[in-house]
Amino acid sequence: MHTEILILAWGAVLLFVHIFAAGHVKTRQYGTKWNTGARDEALPPMDPIVGRMVRAQANYQETFPIAIVALLGVVAAGRTGDMTALGGWIWLGARVVYLPLYALGVPVVRSLVFLVSVVGLAMVLWPLLGG
């Protein structure tokens, strides 16, 4: 199995972590009745950590499709190599670090870690773009 597919599988696990982490803190704020209900009622504003977890999840969901295209693309095109594997691991590692930094409200460093993840994705995409 290609390393890039393994990275993609771990990326899917990380998506579950994002979904359940955000759901957990929302349920902690709004209660089990809200979680198991239709969720039609108007809610008070989210506590800061809930908002950060929801935004972190949204950010991951916005960028995960790019990772899917990049990682599957290099495998399908036969363009895998040390750079694409390293770039994938850099992307995944940075995304793992990003979640707790966002949850804790750490400024600047969180943004730098996001940029590291973008560099990792660029390393994977480069061979697909003719590099």
Side-chain angles (χ1 to χ4, degrees), residues 40-129:
D40 292 331
E41 66 275 5
L43 297 172
M46 289 184 249
D47 291 341
I49 191 166
V50 177
R52 289 192 299 265
M53 295 299 285
V54 167
R55 290 189 301 277
Q57 177 188 347
N59 178 275
Y60 189 74
Q61 288 176 309
E62 291 167 353
T63 58
F64 190 45
I66 300 166
I68 293 168
V69 168
L71 292 162
L72 285 180
V74 293
V75 171
R79 303 294 305 256
T80 60
D82 292 341
M83 186 172 79
T84 60
L86 178 60
W89 286 123
I90 289 170
W91 166 76
L92 183 62
R95 293 311 310 217
V96 167
V97 171
Y98 181 86
L99 181 58
L101 289 175
Y102 208 146
L104 295 169
V106 177
V108 182
V109 175
R110 182 199 88 229
S111 297
L112 293 173
V113 168
F114 176 79
L115 289 176
V116 169
S117 78
V118 171
V119 168
L121 279 183
M123 291 170 65
V124 179
L125 279 169
W126 185 247
L128 289 177
L129 300 173

Side-chain angles (χ1 to χ4, degrees), residues 7-20 60 64 92:
I7 293 165
L8 195 54
W10 281 112
V13 170
L14 184 57
L15 179 57
F16 275 120
V17 170
H18 275 272
I19 291 166
F20 288 112
Y60 189 74
F64 190 45
L92 183 62

